[in-house]
Amino acid sequence: MSRPRIVIVGAGFAGYRTARTLSRLTRHQADITLLNPTDYFLYLPLLPQVAAGILEPRRVSVSLSGTLPHVRLVLGEADGIDLDGHTVHYTGPEGEEGTLPFDRLVLAAGSVNKLLPIPGVAEHAHGFRGLPEALYLRDHVTRQVELAAAADDRAECAARCTFVVVGAGYTGTEVAAHGAMYTDAQVRKHPMRTGMRPRWMLLDVAPRVMPEMDERLSRTAERVLRQRGVDVRMGTSVKEATHDGVVLTDGSTVDTRTLVWCVGVRPDPLVESLGLPMERGRLLVDPHLQVPGRPELFACGDVAAVPDLNQPGQYTPMTAQHAWRHGKVCAQNVAASLGIGERRAYRHRDMGFVVDLGGAKAAANPLGLPMSGPAAGAVTRGYHLAAMPGNRVRVAADWLLDAVLPRQAVQLGLVRSWSVPLESSSPEVARVPGGPERHGRAAGPAGQRPDGEETGNQPGGEPARNQPGGEPAKGQPGGEPARNQPGGESAKGQPGGEPAKNQPGGEPAKNQPGGEPAGRRSHGGRAKGGQSGSPRASGKPRRAVEAAGPRPAREGSGKPGRAPRASGTGSAGKRPTAPSGPSRSAGPPTDPGPEPPANQPPPGPDIAPGPVKRTDRRAAEGDS
C-alpha cells in the first residue's frame, strides 16, 4: 500500500511548524512535500534589524532542507488548486510548471501587503514583508543620506533625508526606531548642511502607537521614538503620494523620496480562488483547523479564520505567535486523520508581546508584566533567540559585534526599485529580468520612482518594453539585443558581426572609391523573441489579485498558457541571460566605432558594456 501524500503550501511560521511537526509524528509513514517560493524560512520579527544593518540577511533565513531533512522541498508558487482532482498546480522560479498530487493538503500561504485606494501609493511606496524589500530599503536609505550630504540645494537635501513610514503597528514602529538610529550613525560620517539632520516620520490613523498593545507599552514606544527625533503623527495618514513627496490627510505636504508602507497585511489571494466560505479574505475553518465539508483540506496561519475558543464569536488575529502555534496543532490533526494520534482543538492563551526599539531599548509584557528599558531589551532578544528554529549563535554574534563595532553603511545595489513592487503576490521573491510575472494588476501610468529611477510602467502590471521583467527592448538585457549591442546580431560596424561596407576588412561601401555607386540598402531582421515577463498559467485559478491579459503561446510548441522563450535561450526551461561583457583576453580598441543610436541609454548598472575590439579587427571569443 502506498504511503499517504501530504502537501503543505507555504513555509512561513505556520507552514514551517506544520512540516517540522508532521515529520516527527509520521516517522516516514507519509510522503511530505513542502511547496514554497524560497528555500528558507524567514524569521520576520528581526527583519527591521536587517534593514538597519545590525543583522546580515542569512541570519534571519533558516534553511528548509537543512532543518527539515525528511521533507521534500519543491521550489515554486502555487497558482491553482483542484480540490476534486486532489492536485496543486505551481510555477517554478524559472517559469517551469508542475503539478503535485495530494491526499492531505495544508494551506499556509501567509499574507501579502495590504493596499488602500490612495493615489500614487502603489507606484511610489515599498512594503516590508520580505528580505528583498529589507535589502532595498537599507540600500535606498544609505543612498539618500549620501546624496543629501553632497547636494548643493538645501531643499533637495531636506527631501532626500526625510523618510516617511505609514503604519504604527509592530513593523512600522520598529522600522522607524531602527531607521532613525541607522541614519544618525551615518550622518556622523557624512555631515549634512548646517542645521540639518535626517528626519523620520511615523503616521497612522490610530489614536496611539501600537494600539494592539497595552497602553503603557504604547506610551513607552512613543517616548523612545520622540527621544530619537521621530515625528510621530497619530490620526494622520497619506492622502496622495507623488514622485516628489506625499500629501497628508491634514492638508500638509512633505517633500520626501522615501515612503515605507507598513499599514498591515491581508491573506494571500490564493485562497480566494477556491470558492469556499471566507471571513474577511481568510478561509473559514473549524477549531481543528479543518475546512468544513473537505476532510482532506486544512488551513492555518494568516490565510485561516480560526475560531478563538477563549473569545467566542471572534477569530484569532493574524500574528506570528498564533501562526506558529497553528502549525503545531494542524500537524497533529493531519496526523490524526491518517490514524496517528488524536485530534485536538486550537486554544491558546496570550503570552505577551515584545517590540525591539533598537539599542538597549524595547517594550515588552511577558505574561502580562509590562517592562521597558534595558530589562525589556534583554527579554526581547532572549525571546527571539528562543523562538528562532536556527542560526541562534550567528544572530547572537551579530548582536555582540554591533555593540562594539560601527555599522557598515554601504549600498550594494543588489535589489532595484522595480524588483520589489508594493503590490505583489510574492513579496519574499524579488523580480528579475526575464523572470516569470508574480503579480497581475494592470499597468499604471508612466512616471518615476521616489528614488529617481525612471519607469515606463509602474510595478504591478505589465512592465514597459524597455524595463526588466517585461518584454525587454532590443538594447536591453534579457531580450533580443539591438543590432549594435553585444549578444545578438551585431551591427555591421561592430566587432563580432559582418563588417560594415564602409569599414576596413569588409566589402567596400558602394559610395567609396573602388566600389559601386551608392544605392538604397535594405536588410532583414530576426523576428522578435517572446515576451519573457507575461503573466503565467491559463486554465488555473490565478494567484494574482486581478487577472492579467492572455499569455502568448510558446514558439513552436502550440501549447497555450506558457510564456515563449526569448531568442538566445540555451537549454529548455531556463531564462535568457543578459549579454556577456567584454572578453578579458581582448586587446585595447583601435577604433571607437560608430556612435550609439540616440535612443539607447549609456552603459550603466542595468546594461552590459559593449564588446572590446581586437587589434586584428576580429571579434574576441565570447563577444557575440
Side-chain angles (χ1 to χ4, degrees):
M1 181 178 179
S2 61
R3 296 188 296 181
R5 298 162 299 183
I6 304 173
V7 174
I8 304 170
V9 178
F13 280 89
Y16 180 86
R17 185 78 182 275
T18 300
R20 193 172 72 169
T21 306
L22 265 176
S23 177
R24 176 178 56 84
L25 293 176
T26 57
R27 299 183 181 274
H28 308 289
Q29 299 179 38
D31 292 330
I32 305 173
T33 301
L34 181 61
L35 177 64
N36 198 57
T38 63
D39 63 348
Y40 60 82
F41 159 76
L42 177 62
Y43 191 75
L44 271 171
L46 294 181
L47 201 59
Q49 298 191 24
V50 174
I54 300 174
L55 297 177
E56 290 301 313
R58 292 187 180 181
R59 305 297 186 256
V60 299
S61 310
V62 179
S63 170
L64 296 178
S65 57
T67 55
L68 303 173
H70 304 300
V71 176
R72 176 194 173 202
L73 173 63
V74 175
L75 290 178
E77 182 181 354
D79 51 21
I81 298 175
D82 185 356
L83 294 178
D84 296 329
H86 285 212
T87 57
V88 175
H89 184 271
Y90 70 92
T91 301
E94 296 185 354
E96 69 278 12
E97 300 179 3
T99 302
L100 297 174
F102 64 84
D103 298 306
R104 299 290 186 274
L105 176 63
V106 178
L107 291 179
S111 55
V112 297
N113 291 313
K114 180 181 179 181
L115 295 181
L116 299 177
I118 300 176
V121 166
E123 291 79 17
H124 300 288
H126 288 282
F128 201 79
R129 290 289 301 165
L131 272 179
E133 293 170 323
L135 294 177
Y136 167 77
L137 181 61
R138 183 169 70 180
D139 277 3
H140 175 78
V141 170
T142 304
R143 179 168 62 251
Q144 295 308 309
V145 172
E146 292 172 349
L147 292 175
D152 295 328
D153 183 60
R154 189 178 184 87
E156 179 185 357
C157 177
R160 290 194 179 279
C161 62
T162 298
F163 309 95
V164 179
V165 181
V166 184
Y170 295 104
T171 303
T173 300
E174 290 187 343
V175 167
H178 284 280
M181 290 187 64
Y182 178 67
T183 52
D184 285 345
Q186 191 175 355
V187 296
R188 285 195 287 267
K189 300 179 182 179
H190 299 277
M192 297 282 187
R193 298 172 64 93
T194 304
M196 301 193 68
R197 57 167 294 181
R199 176 192 182 193
W200 284 79
M201 297 183 64
L202 181 61
L203 313 176
D204 203 309
V205 295
R208 57 187 175 90
V209 174
M210 294 188 299
E212 60 274 9
M213 291 191 69
D214 182 86
E215 189 173 353
R216 287 173 292 183
L217 298 181
S218 177
R219 289 197 300 265
T220 298
E222 184 173 350
R223 184 175 65 252
V224 172
L225 290 173
R226 294 189 183 279
Q227 288 174 352
R228 292 181 182 164
V230 178
D231 185 1
V232 181
R233 298 191 185 184
M234 295 293 98
T236 306
S237 188
V238 173
K239 182 179 180 180
E240 182 183 359
T242 65
H243 164 63
D244 298 322
V246 294
V247 179
L248 304 185
T249 53
D250 60 5
S252 60
T253 301
V254 178
D255 294 335
T256 181
R257 301 292 188 271
T258 308
L259 180 59
V260 186
W261 192 255
C262 301
V263 170
V265 295
R266 59 187 174 90
D268 192 292
L270 172 68
V271 297
E272 298 176 0
S273 63
L274 299 178
L276 297 174
M278 309 285 290
E279 172 64 29
R280 295 186 178 182
R282 294 195 285 174
L283 193 62
L284 275 174
V285 298
D286 59 22
H288 301 92
L289 308 182
Q290 195 169 18
V291 177
R294 288 286 181 177
E296 77 284 359
L297 181 59
F298 296 79
C300 55
D302 290 349
V303 298
V306 182
D308 191 342
L309 299 182
N310 294 326
Q311 302 180 31
Q314 299 187 19
Y315 300 93
T316 58
M318 297 168 59
T319 63
Q321 185 180 113
H322 280 288
W324 185 252
R325 289 162 177 81
H326 283 177
K328 181 179 180 180
V329 175
C330 184
Q332 292 172 338
N333 292 335
V334 170
S337 70
L338 301 175
I340 304 173
E342 298 180 357
R343 291 205 313 167
R344 56 169 294 193
Y346 178 76
R347 186 187 298 270
H348 172 64
R349 186 171 64 90
D350 184 10
M351 305 297 291
F353 296 93
V354 295
V355 178
D356 190 345
L357 300 176
K361 302 295 182 65
N365 60 341
L367 301 177
L369 178 63
M371 301 178 64
S372 62
V379 170
T380 299
R381 296 201 168 184
Y383 169 80
H384 287 317
L385 286 180
M388 287 195 68
N391 297 346
R392 296 186 180 95
V393 175
R394 290 185 171 92
V395 170
D398 274 6
W399 283 341
L400 178 62
L401 292 175
D402 180 70
V404 299
L405 296 176
R407 300 180 194 176
Q408 293 178 300
V410 294
Q411 48 168 322
L412 302 179
L414 300 178
V415 182
R416 308 290 293 186
S417 175
W418 50 264
S419 300
V420 284
L422 180 61
E423 186 170 351
S424 171
S425 59
S426 292
E428 67 274 17
V429 179
R431 292 176 59 192
V432 295
E437 191 72 22
R438 298 188 180 276
H439 49 280
R441 62 184 179 90
Q448 284 185 324
R449 280 286 177 195
D451 55 2
E453 296 182 26
E454 297 284 350
T455 59
N457 290 329
Q458 297 299 338
E462 180 185 354
R465 295 182 181 271
N466 61 346
Q467 293 295 330
E471 181 182 351
K474 289 192 173 184
Q476 301 295 336
E480 181 185 357
R483 296 182 182 276
N484 60 347
Q485 295 293 333
E489 181 181 348
S490 304
K492 295 192 176 184
Q494 296 294 331
E498 179 184 349
K501 296 182 182 295
N502 59 350
Q503 294 293 334
E507 181 182 346
K510 295 186 178 183
N511 59 351
Q512 296 294 333
E516 299 179 13
R520 180 171 298 179
R521 290 175 292 178
S522 63
H523 53 82
R526 294 185 304 175
K528 281 187 180 180
Q531 183 173 337
S532 58
S534 53
R536 55 172 196 271
S538 63
K540 296 287 182 179
R542 308 178 69 89
R543 183 173 178 177
V545 181
E546 298 177 8
R551 191 174 187 175
R554 178 176 296 181
E555 296 179 4
S557 64
K559 296 180 180 180
R562 293 176 181 265
R565 296 193 303 268
S567 59
T569 307
S571 58
K574 295 187 177 180
R575 296 195 306 267
T577 57
S580 60
S583 170
R584 295 180 181 272
S585 60
T590 58
D591 184 5
E595 291 292 330
N599 61 347
Q600 290 293 337
D606 291 337
I607 304 176
V612 178
K613 292 184 179 181
R614 295 169 58 100
T615 55
D616 55 0
R617 298 187 180 90
R618 294 170 53 193
E621 184 178 357
D623 283 351
S624 297

